[in-house]
Amino acid sequence: MIRSRALLIGALALLAAAVPAAALGAGEPAPNLTVTELSKPPAALTVGGKLKIVIEVRNRGRLAATKSRATLYLARGAKHTSRDVVLGHAKVRPVPAGRRATTKLIVDLPKGKLGSYRLIACADSGKRIKEAREDDNCTAARLFRLTPPPPRPRPGRPVTDSGTLAIAPAFTISDGIDWGFVRDESAAEPEPGDPVTLTLRAGNRIAGQAGYTRANVAPAPLLAGTATTLDYSESGEDDGVVTVDLPFAFPFGGIAEQRVSVSTNGWISFGAPAWDFWSLRQLTDYRGVAALVGEHDRGIMPYWTDLTLEDIGVGAGTVREVIAADGSAIAFQWNSGQLSNNGGGPRRLFQVVLFRDGSFRLDYPGVNEAGGLRSFVGFSLGTGPDSATILAEDSLEVPAGSVLFTPKPLPASSISGNLPAGEVTATLPVRSDLLEAGPGCELTLPSTAFSTGLVTCPMPTLALGRQASQTVTFSMPPNAPGELEPANFRLSGTYESAGATLGDGEEINALDGRFPPATIDVFAEFDSPVIPRPGVPAQFGVELEVPTTEAALDEPIATFELPDDVALDMIQIAGEEIPCGPVTDRTVACGLPSGTSFTAITVSVTPSVASVGSELTLGVTADALNTPPASVSVTTPPVQAP
C-alpha cells in the first residue's frame, strides 16, 4: 500500500537523521537528556481549562548539558510525532552529568479537542545540545479524556402536546437489548443468527401520553413500607441489573408498564435491561444527549452515573424495592458508593417513587456530597429527542430536595371511545431473516444483502385506556465483512390508526458505539497488475481509517469515481461484496459497516480497448454521519495493448 511505502521512507529518513549523533563515536563523552518524570493528568479534563505540569529532566550522559528547553505536547499516540499539538515550553537549567533538573509550567487545554489523548514531554526540544542519543528525549503520560465544559443550567423539557397526541395513541418499539452494552436480560450478547425480538406497543389515551408537569416539591424522606433488598449476585454488583414485576401497571408516556429493570447505576428501564452506566461516551456523541437518550433509553434516571454496591471505602451498598402499605406506590432506593477517577467516591442515597396514577417523584434525602463521576438526571420515553426531559447531563452534584412529575390531562380528542383498528410495521436489518411474528403479520419486503426488510402486522381496535402489542423476531445479521462482530444497525417501527402515524426507533451498536465528531483518512493505491492491459482485471486497494482509537464511523459511505472506458467487476471487503448503488456517470456509492474505524476495500475494474494509451484514475470520497468527507485519487500507468 502507499501508506506502507510512506512508512518505510519515513523510517529510512529517521535512520539518516540519526547519523550525526552516531558520529560522536562509541564511548565519546556527551550529554544525554531525557524526561524521567512527568505529572500524571487526571482521567478526565475539561477543554479550555488550565493544567499544571511538573517535568523532570535527567542527564544520562558523561558531560554536563547547558541550558535547554522542554516542550509539552498533546498527542493521540504514545510516541511523539509532528502531528502533536504544542501546549507549552519550559526552560531547563544546565544539568551536570548524572544529575536531574525539575521544571514546571501551566498550560491551557485547547478547545475543540474532545477525546482521548496523552501528554508527551520532550527534553531539548529545540535541539540546542549535541547529545549522545537523540531518540530518548521524550516520555508519555497515561491516557486521559478531554471533555466538554459543564453546560449552563437549564430547565427540564417536558413533552409538548400536539395535534397528533390529541387524536393518536402512544407508540413504542423495544428490542430487549441494552443499546450501550449490547446485552439482553441474561447478559448475553447476541451473536450472528441469534433471535432478536422487537415488541411494538400502542396505547389509547393512557396517562402520560400528553407529557408531564414538573414541580419542585418539599423534600420527601425514603418511602416506608414492605422492603426487599434486590439481589445482584447473578448480574454483578458493579453494572448489575435486576428485573422486577411491578405491583400495579404503571402508566408511562401513554403505555402501561408491568415490569422494570433496576440498575445498580441509578436508573430504571422499561422494555430493555438497564446495564449501561452514564459515561463520557454519551457526552461526546455527535448527535447530542437529548437525541441519544431520547431515542435509545426508555426509563427514569434519578441519578444515572457509575455506582457500585461493592465496598470502595464507604461500605457495601444496596438497592431496595419498597412497596407502600396501601399499595399506592413503589420506590427503588439506592444506598451505594459512587466511583470516581481515583477509584472510590462519595456515598449516594436517593430514590425514585412510582405512583399508580402515573406520577413519579425523584428524592435525594442523603448527604450526597459533590464529586465522583459525571451524571444524568431526568427521564426519557424513548421515542425521540423531544421525549427526553433533562435536569442534568454532565454534573458532579446530586440534586437537592424532591422533584415531582405529574401526567398532564389528556386533551379533548376528536375521537370518542374506541380507536379504530390499525397496523404496525417493523424494519428488518440488512442480511437478516424473519424467524417469527405475531398473529396476522406478513413479510412485506424480505431483507437482502443490500437492503432492509419490512414486516407488517395488524393491530386491534383499542378502547379508551387500553393497549395492544405485536412481536417480530429476526435473526441477528452475520458479521460485517472484515469484522468479528455484526455491523451496527438501526431499527424503526410505525403505528397507523385513524389517519395518524407514529414512529419510533432502536439501535444496536454491536461493532462500536463511540461516535464523537471525527475525521477520516483515505488511502488508495493501484495493486495489480504492474501494467494495466485491456481485458485484464485491474485492482485498486482503498483504506479508510479514523485517526483516533476513541471513535468509530456512523453509517459510513464510500463513493467511487471510476476510470473512463472500464467495466466494474466488484467492490469487496475481505472477499465479500458490499452493498452499492447503480453506477451513474461513472460514479458508484457503497455502504460500509457502521461502527468500523478501519476498512480495507478492493475495487476491481477491467479496462477496454478504448483505454489503451490512457491512465486509469480512481477517485474515492468517504464520509459518515459523524465525519466530514475526505477524498483521494490514484492513477495507474498508461494502459498498454495486449
Side-chain angles (χ1 to χ4, degrees), residues 231-246:
D231 182 4
Y232 288 89
S233 59
E234 291 189 10
S235 64
E237 296 185 334
D238 185 31
D239 304 330
V241 299
V242 168
T243 300
V244 173
D245 292 321
L246 297 172

Side-chain angles (χ1 to χ4, degrees), residues 263-291:
S263 173
T264 58
N265 288 319
W267 68 297
I268 61 175
S269 173
F270 302 105
W275 292 106
D276 206 5
F277 60 89
W278 187 250
S279 69
L280 296 176
R281 179 188 59 212
Q282 285 102 325
L283 292 170
T284 59
D285 195 289
Y286 76 97
R287 291 167 286 190
V289 170

Side-chain angles (χ1 to χ4, degrees), residues 456-496:
T456 303
C457 302
M459 289 289 274
T461 298
L462 294 177
L464 288 173
R466 302 303 295 269
Q467 68 185 42
S469 65
Q470 283 278 23
T471 58
V472 174
T473 302
F474 60 86
S475 61
M476 191 72 172
N479 291 339
E483 303 285 353
L484 299 178
E485 300 285 347
N488 298 350
F489 56 87
R490 292 189 172 98
L491 302 164
S492 63
T494 63
Y495 177 80
E496 292 188 20

